[in-house]
Amino acid sequence: MHALANPARFLRIARPATSWLLLVGLALAIGGMVAGLTLTPPDYLQGETVRILYIHVPSAWLGMAGWAGIAAASVSQLVWRHPLAAVAGRAAAPAGATFAAICLVTGSIWGRPTWGTWWEWDGRLTSMLVLFFLYLGYIALGSAERERGGEGRIAAIYGLVGAINLPIIHYSVLWWRTLHQGQSIGLSGSSIDNSILWPLPLTMVGFTCLFGAAVLMRMRAELAETKVEARMRRMGTA
Amino acid sequence: MKPKNQRLVLVAAAIAAVLAAVLLAMWGLRDRASYFYTPADIAGGQAPAGQAMRLGGMVEEGSIKHLPDGVTIRFVVTDGKARTPVVYRGIVPDLFREGTGAVAEGRLENGTFVADTILAKHDERYMPPQLGNLAAEHKAGQTLEK
């Protein structure tokens, strides 16, 4: 990680990585979604509504993975003072918030025909909504600290403490009785039939690549902005 | 100790403290955060009688009866240990059927659960129609236990 502490070296890697992630992500995500819409059979109970899982599951994963990334960036910011950690955290937050929102919206659309309700305050749904609000708080804190010229330490502490919501989301369906079903895919296999399951890894990897591309783009944009601000200041004093 | 290591220890201690606090909170919440009561809870007297609550479980096979007025149904919710009769007036979701999970909102009155709302509970199994009809008969009832 410390090899990337130099922003110039980071940019040399990030520039080509952005386009590759974007290309591969688009191909896999679109391929997986088209396959999920046309090639897979409907579910025996849910019918065609099952197809929303090809978007819902990757969004849930990235909503949670995004915060795991923020937590990792927070640790490296607090302990090692990594110069890019705060930039990475600020870059990941809007992408993670977007996927958490997609997860909530698609879940609600699925819940109406399946459960008979748009929204219920059960453990899984509530903890996911809390994650979305945590993202909004992080975005506000991060941009406020950046404007003040701070190191981003307050946002890092917040990002670390907010990570306790991740195990709560994951285990909510195991610890508590919830309306949301238990997990389908575990270490011991999957309770989703293979004929329905196979496009899911495509969209999972595809959306993850798109997430990575979005984070790298935002990081590059913020580094460029910092450079511009520094140059403007120099020109002002000269 | 180098300042970097000092910070590492501090952050690790903070994470441990926060985790311990969360585990304690969840342990305390584990009954209250449950989304519904099961028939066994009602038989054991843990469910609040006469108050608004939710009942969850499997709709027993062959128990759905349509009353002559056309809009009221009676059925039995079971969790394998106890059974609770339910009466409901209204339209049920499409996925509400015998042998699958359901959650009812309402009150307990003289041992019968009077429901205001019925929600279908989907389980974690997904399969195409030809497999599903076979497997549903064998597997119904396995996913309820939590």
Side-chain angles (χ1 to χ4, degrees), chain B residues 25-129:
Chain B
M26 298 195 73
W27 186 251
L29 271 173
R30 90 195 167 282
D31 294 331
R32 320 219 75 204
S34 275
Y35 184 68
F36 54 79
Y37 291 95
T38 63
D41 293 338
I42 290 174
Q46 287 137 304
Q51 280 178 34
M53 58 173 260
R54 295 193 192 91
L55 167 72
M58 289 302 199
V59 181
E60 198 172 75
E61 289 287 349
S63 73
I64 299 183
K65 302 262 185 311
H66 292 267
L67 298 199
D69 67 359
V71 287
T72 308
I73 57 165
R74 286 183 170 278
F75 58 95
V76 173
V77 167
T78 173
D79 58 359
K81 295 178 208 122
R83 308 163 72 245
T84 304
V86 181
V87 57
Y88 174 67
R89 204 180 137 85
I91 300 164
V92 294
D94 288 349
L95 265 72
F96 174 83
R97 51 187 80 181
E98 291 173 352
T100 65
V103 175
E105 295 179 2
R107 295 163 315 286
L108 204 55
E109 281 174 13
N110 307 322
T112 301
F113 193 84
V114 183
D116 308 317
T117 313
I118 300 278
L119 302 176
K121 184 168 166 21
H122 190 263
D123 63 27
E124 64 274 20
R125 287 173 297 119
Y126 297 72
M127 56 194 108

Side-chain angles (χ1 to χ4, degrees), chain A residues 95-151:
Chain A
T98 307
F99 277 109
I102 294 175
C103 171
L104 289 166
V105 169
T106 52
S108 179
I109 293 170
W110 179 85
R112 183 64 191 84
T114 312
W115 295 332
T117 179
W118 294 104
W119 183 265
E120 283 297 317
W121 295 101
D122 89 331
R124 173 58 71 81
L125 276 60
T126 308
S127 54
M128 198 66 200
L129 185 67
V130 167
L131 177 69
F132 177 68
F133 289 143
L134 284 176
Y135 271 120
L136 298 189
Y138 185 89
I139 293 169
L141 257 185
S143 67
E145 260 192 314
R146 178 167 147 71
E147 266 168 41
R148 260 190 1 176
E151 290 174 51

Side-chain angles (χ1 to χ4, degrees), chain A residues 12-135:
Chain A
R12 262 205 306 280
I13 300 170
R15 221 169 277 140
T18 309
S19 13
W20 276 110
L21 283 173
L22 204 58
L23 274 178
V24 174
L26 274 178
L28 286 177
I30 292 175
M33 285 192 288
V34 169
L37 279 176
T38 55
L39 301 179
T40 57
D43 180 71
Y44 75 115
L45 276 180
Q46 302 163 60
E48 305 290 344
T49 44
V50 68
R51 303 185 192 283
I52 212 159
L53 92 102
Y54 304 115
I55 296 178
H56 179 72
V57 176
S59 309
W61 141 248
L62 286 169
M64 292 168 71
W67 198 279
I70 287 178
S74 302
V75 171
S76 85
Q77 152 87 2
L78 289 172
V79 177
W80 295 286
R81 303 274 153 85
H82 193 293
L84 288 178
V87 180
R90 279 195 291 268
T98 307
F99 277 109
I102 294 175
C103 171
L104 289 166
V105 169
T106 52
S108 179
I109 293 170
W110 179 85
R112 183 64 191 84
T114 312
W115 295 332
T117 179
W118 294 104
W119 183 265
E120 283 297 317
W121 295 101
D122 89 331
R124 173 58 71 81
L125 276 60
T126 308
S127 54
M128 198 66 200
L129 185 67
V130 167
L131 177 69
F132 177 68
F133 289 143
L134 284 176
Y135 271 120

Side-chain angles (χ1 to χ4, degrees), chain A residues 2-16 82-84 220 223-224 227:
Chain A
H2 288 81
L4 295 176
N6 179 340
R9 198 179 297 161
F10 166 79
L11 285 175
R12 262 205 306 280
I13 300 170
R15 221 169 277 140
H82 193 293
L84 288 178
R220 287 169 53 192
L223 289 175
K227 215 188 231 171

